[in-house]
Amino acid sequence: IGDAYICCAGLLEEGEKNEKSDALSCLSMAQAMVKATEDLFAPTNPPERIQIRVGIHVGDIYAGVLGQAIPKFSVYGNAVNIAARMEQTSEPSKIHLSKEFHDL
């Protein structure tokens, strides 16, 4: 049981995008996240190493703020769903990339 987080890059105006650079920034961040957990242990007896799974995909998304009482920024779309599947099928402490990301 754990939490899942979404990181997006390239949420700029149409003319300002650099897909490959944005994708490599995401990969660099994912690598740093996995490395940061190498020496991170849960306070259990005995201590258990904390491991994360990362999934990365590229594609179009929709974004917006939902709600009035407690507004929340969210992203939606097929690219979000595929990235989630990449994470869910990743091995612990690994980064699972989609074919579309690899082909950039």
Side-chain angles (χ1 to χ4, degrees):
I1 298 176
D3 294 312
Y5 298 91
I6 293 177
C7 173
C8 299
L11 299 178
L12 303 171
E13 294 296 324
E14 189 65 35
E16 300 177 22
K17 291 183 180 179
N18 184 336
E19 260 188 8
K20 190 167 187 172
S21 175
D22 293 337
L24 291 175
S25 292
C26 284
L27 179 59
S28 178
M29 180 178 146
Q31 290 169 325
M33 290 169 59
V34 170
K35 183 165 179 48
T37 63
E38 287 177 355
D39 298 317
L40 193 60
F41 292 86
T44 57
N45 190 8
E48 293 180 33
R49 184 167 170 249
I50 293 179
Q51 297 178 313
I52 64 169
R53 297 184 319 243
V54 179
I56 301 179
H57 178 68
V58 296
D60 294 331
I61 62 169
Y62 302 95
V65 178
L66 300 177
Q68 292 180 347
I70 304 173
K72 183 171 110 175
F73 180 81
S74 296
V75 291
Y76 304 93
N78 194 44
V80 174
N81 298 335
I82 293 172
R85 297 308 167 267
M86 294 288 103
E87 179 270 328
Q88 292 167 358
T89 58
S90 177
E91 295 179 20
S93 297
K94 301 287 183 186
I95 302 168
H96 193 181
L97 307 175
S98 70
K99 180 180 184 323
E100 289 80 1
F101 179 92
H102 179 269
D103 290 347
L104 276 179

